[in-house]
Amino acid sequence: MITSRQNAAVKEIRSYKEKKFRDKDGVFVAEGIKLVNEGINSGFFVEKLVCTEKTEELFSSFSGEKIVLKDDVYKSVSNETTPQGVMAVIKKPVLKEFGCDGSAILLDGVADPSNVGAIVRTAAASGYTDLYFTEDCADPFSPKAVRASMGGIFRVKAHISTRDYIAENLNVPFIIADMDGENVFSFNKKGDFCLVIGNEGNGVSEKIRKKASYTVSIPMENGMESLNASVSAGILMYLLKK
């Protein structure tokens, strides 16, 4: 059992709180008993399991590398306010093909990792497999986004690229969510598409907007002007697949 916060392995695990170190090693972190179990059973490669002495017995069947930390040392690497005492360091999948199998979702600069994770969760639940993220979008593999996805990140393909590359290579009609668009309840679209959700404050970028085939909106009542990005995305995902 590791008892020092200055241990090299502990420092490495702690570094994964920052995107640049996750990207350098090509990994992400899933924390908590449920998420770790989903990660182990997902087919993703679990590089190492990090746990406390108390939680180690819950994962006795895990055959990979296991790092056991003293409780206070574990707290120093945890991303949780009240940690459950287990996390998995998981290799990010390498996606060799750029395209989509059916309809897709594009997050164009969505900044809040909780929104990103919630959208991933709903996309997985509603049957969207391919999700695209512009490079200035909140990282879908950040601890907060992974937690908010509730395991959805293990069930979708997350493509991260530039707007230029996405616009040039994703060859399905783009449907933009915008308050000036057609009422989505009367909108009728057959065939595959890519639903675009823009930045919470600035909306969809001009580059992606130029690619749009359709623009849809969710009608508002009682003087409300907008919905949270993840709520809007969820409503549109289900309605457009109907």
Side-chain angles (χ1 to χ4, degrees):
M1 182 170 65
I2 297 174
T3 60
S4 171
R5 298 186 184 193
Q6 302 309 312
N7 179 278
V10 172
K11 288 182 177 180
E12 180 184 66
I13 296 160
R14 190 182 298 121
S15 75
Y16 295 147
K17 293 184 179 187
E18 297 185 46
K19 184 178 186 297
K20 64 181 178 180
F21 293 111
R22 296 194 301 270
D23 288 349
K24 179 176 73 71
D25 290 352
V27 299
F28 68 101
V29 174
E31 185 168 6
I33 294 169
K34 183 177 184 296
L35 268 181
V36 169
N37 274 318
E38 291 208 29
I40 291 171
N41 295 322
S42 67
F44 283 49
F45 177 70
V46 177
E47 194 173 86
K48 55 178 70 83
L49 197 67
V50 183
C51 57
T52 64
E53 195 172 20
K54 186 181 295 184
T55 54
E56 182 184 13
E57 61 187 39
L58 298 176
F59 295 90
S60 58
S61 62
F62 178 71
S63 59
E65 181 182 357
K66 197 179 294 182
I67 298 175
V68 183
L69 307 180
K70 188 179 175 183
D71 285 0
D72 66 312
V73 178
Y74 182 89
K75 287 178 182 177
S76 76
V77 302
S78 175
N79 298 290
E80 304 286 351
T81 306
T82 54
Q84 295 180 14
V86 64
M87 66 174 66
V89 177
I90 302 171
K91 276 291 184 185
K92 291 181 186 176
V94 177
L95 304 177
K96 297 180 180 179
E97 295 182 2
F98 192 94
C100 56
D101 181 16
S103 294
I105 309 294
L106 166 59
L107 275 60
D108 182 16
V110 176
D112 186 335
S114 294
N115 279 338
V116 168
I119 291 170
V120 169
R121 178 184 183 181
T122 306
S126 54
Y128 294 82
T129 301
D130 290 279
L131 274 69
Y132 295 84
F133 304 84
T134 57
E135 58 189 353
D136 59 344
C137 194
D139 182 10
F141 293 102
S142 70
K144 187 176 284 188
V146 170
R147 181 170 62 249
S149 81
M150 296 295 288
I153 195 65
F154 301 120
R155 296 173 172 85
V156 301
K157 291 185 284 186
H159 309 264
I160 303 172
S161 191
T162 64
R163 287 183 177 85
D164 286 336
Y165 194 84
I166 292 170
E168 291 170 9
N169 291 277
L170 191 53
N171 297 313
V172 290
F174 279 28
I175 302 177
I176 286 177
D178 188 275
M179 290 306 298
D180 295 325
E182 179 182 344
N183 186 328
V184 69
F185 287 95
S186 57
F187 177 75
N188 185 24
K189 167 71 181 77
K190 294 181 179 179
D192 294 332
F193 58 86
C194 177
L195 170 63
V196 181
I197 304 298
N199 174 269
E200 293 90 340
N202 301 317
V204 176
S205 65
E206 280 304 310
K207 182 168 290 293
I208 297 298
R209 191 175 291 275
K210 288 177 182 177
K211 168 87 173 180
S213 300
Y214 310 95
T215 304
V216 297
S217 65
I218 301 170
M220 301 286 157
E221 298 186 12
N222 296 316
M224 299 304 295
E225 296 181 354
S226 65
L227 294 172
N228 170 276
S230 62
V231 173
S232 296
I235 292 170
L236 293 170
M237 277 187 249
Y238 277 98
L239 286 174
L240 292 172
K241 267 211 166 186
K242 187 173 65 174

